[in-house]
Amino acid sequence: MQILGKCLVFPTRTTLLYSTYSMSKATTFLKIIDSHTGGEPTRVVVDGCADLGNGTLAEKREILKTQYDWIRTSTLLEPRGFPAMVGAVLTEPHDPSCSAGVIFFNNAGYLNMCIHGTIGLAVSLQHMGFISTGSHKIDTPVGIVTAHLHDDGSVSVDNVPSYRDQADVSVDVLGYGSISGDIAWGGNWFFLIDQQENVPAVTSSNISHLTKFSTAVMQALSNQGISGDDGQPIDHVEVFGPPADDQSDSRNFVLCPGGEYDRSPCGTGTSAKLACLYADEKLTPSETWRQSSILNTIFTGTVSPLTESNKIIPTVTGSAWVNGETTIIIDPNDPFSKGIHF
Ligand code: PYC
């Protein structure tokens, strides 16, 4: 990591001191950088986070989840956030070769990996003056990824090893009948569905129908015990359709855990798609896949096959824009200081 004149500053683990502030001493402050990647928001907590210990990122995530879930709920839930928002905590890496560690979360809980969020994190760190163009390894709960920050502001992410676990799996979906799809790992577990009978068209005018359909698929997968490796739940459903124009190869709709759809083309979903294309011999390492989102924002992707396994390293490229800097105030007298819980 190139550091611009100073060390990368990790969360101070202390409440920021606002000496002129007239609030109670128990008031907590979280420093936030907001960005969006292809329309999908990322809210990174860069200061004020709790002590998550010195363990692996998976262990830190468990501490965050069991002891400090209020950091997730106060940053993402209403009245400060909204359901589609993805959040992240910047923390120390466990692996010393990494520049930073990150834990992603959303309205429903904690994510394994998030590529639009990693792209957002990279531009946020650049915005703060902590990194410059170049390659930066980042520790996550599911492994190390590398973010390459380019001169034009775009970011490429070398993801964790990805693969198709099962092809042509049929699931009986209430109200829609038998639907066939592939199960693939791209840093999260995905059920990938191509157009077929009873599958809604992937257009922006169809978002509520796509949400209803994908929610029914997610429920059916869970009810019928259809899962990823080691019984891990499939928590993302990805529906594909033809591109809206010649700028991409395909358009997708991705339902995330928590019931919201990804406004970006979903980087881990694009990784899962790349793994399926590679397994079907429809994509070679010299080709680029252009995946469009439901908003017609685009990620490009390439594959690097790993020898001695059927896995690939996907590289996904996109752009993000910083669109806010704020300090969240958690006032113990505010009944909704830690978010509205329905
Ligand atoms: O870009 O990987 C992604 C992602 C996961 C959930 C929302 N976005």
Side-chain angles (χ1 to χ4, degrees):
M1 164 184 263
Q2 267 180 279
I3 307 206
L4 304 180
K6 57 186 157 191
C7 281
L8 177 60
V9 178
F10 288 102
T12 59
R13 300 171 172 180
T14 54
T15 298
L16 301 177
L17 294 178
Y18 278 44
S19 51
T20 55
Y21 225 88
S22 62
M23 284 185 166
S24 128
K25 278 215 171 96
T27 297
T28 306
F29 301 88
L30 296 174
K31 171 82 183 148
I32 300 290
I33 306 287
D34 278 330
S35 63
H36 79 87
T37 310
E40 180 74 357
T42 307
R43 172 162 274 192
V44 186
V45 179
V46 294
D47 199 4
C49 184
D51 183 354
L52 302 178
N54 299 317
T56 64
L57 268 289
E59 288 164 345
K60 285 174 187 254
R61 178 176 61 180
E62 197 54 26
I63 293 172
L64 184 63
K65 181 176 168 180
T66 53
Q67 297 176 37
Y68 304 106
D69 193 46
W70 58 266
I71 293 175
R72 179 184 70 82
T73 59
S74 56
T75 48
L76 294 194
L77 299 189
E78 294 177 20
R80 294 189 192 85
F82 63 100
M85 205 167 229
V86 169
V89 155
L90 174 68
T91 185
E92 293 96 334
H94 180 65
D95 187 305
S97 71
C98 292
S99 308
V102 67
I103 300 163
F104 291 107
F105 42 79
N106 71 2
N107 58 332
Y110 293 81
L111 293 166
N112 287 310
M113 176 48 199
C114 181
I115 288 187
H116 95 262
T118 305
I119 296 171
L121 173 68
V123 301
S124 297
L125 291 175
Q126 183 183 36
H127 171 80
M128 292 190 295
F130 290 154
I131 66 170
S132 60
T133 51
S135 300
H136 310 282
K137 285 167 81 176
I138 297 170
D139 214 350
T140 83
V142 290
I144 295 170
V145 301
T146 304
H148 307 276
L149 183 53
H150 304 298
D151 287 337
D152 67 358
S154 66
V155 180
S156 299
V157 180
D158 301 337
N159 195 7
V160 294
S162 300
Y163 60 102
R164 181 166 68 189
D165 188 45
Q166 295 175 59
D168 284 332
V169 176
S170 290
V171 58
D172 203 10
V173 183
L174 190 66
Y176 297 91
S178 178
I179 300 291
S180 153
D182 289 359
I183 298 173
W185 168 257
N188 292 302
W189 281 105
F190 288 83
F191 193 69
L192 299 94
I193 302 169
D194 284 330
Q195 286 296 304
Q196 55 196 275
E197 201 182 342
N198 294 334
V199 173
V202 180
T203 61
S204 51
S205 58
N206 235 0
I207 285 174
S208 59
H209 194 179
L210 284 158
T211 302
K212 191 168 161 224
F213 167 75
S214 303
T215 304
V217 172
M218 191 104 82
Q219 191 62 58
L221 291 166
S222 164
N223 290 348
Q224 289 161 47
I226 299 171
S227 62
D229 265 357
D230 302 329
Q232 291 186 64
I234 298 168
D235 55 7
H236 291 74
V237 171
E238 186 167 11
V239 185
F240 295 90
D245 54 38
D246 62 3
Q247 299 303 299
S248 69
D249 299 302
S250 156
R251 192 179 194 190
N252 72 10
F253 170 90
V254 180
L255 186 79
C256 300
E260 277 296 321
Y261 70 93
D262 197 331
R263 276 66 170 162
S264 84
C266 191
T268 49
T270 299
S271 300
K273 176 68 175 174
L274 293 170
C276 293
L277 288 167
Y278 179 72
D280 286 334
E281 299 183 356
K282 289 181 177 164
L283 190 72
T284 66
S286 60
E287 292 173 311
T288 298
W289 181 257
R290 301 165 304 165
Q291 184 63 59
S292 156
S293 71
I294 195 75
L295 301 187
N296 284 330
T297 51
I298 295 175
F299 286 166
T300 58
T302 54
V303 299
S304 301
L306 289 171
T307 47
E308 294 169 26
S309 83
N310 59 347
K311 298 182 182 174
I312 54 151
I313 297 290
T315 299
V316 176
T317 301
S319 296
W321 288 266
V322 170
N323 58 4
E325 270 189 62
T326 189
T327 300
I328 281 182
I329 298 168
I330 301 172
D331 177 350
N333 299 316
D334 171 357
F336 295 127
S337 66
K338 292 178 180 168
I340 300 175
H341 297 259
F342 291 100

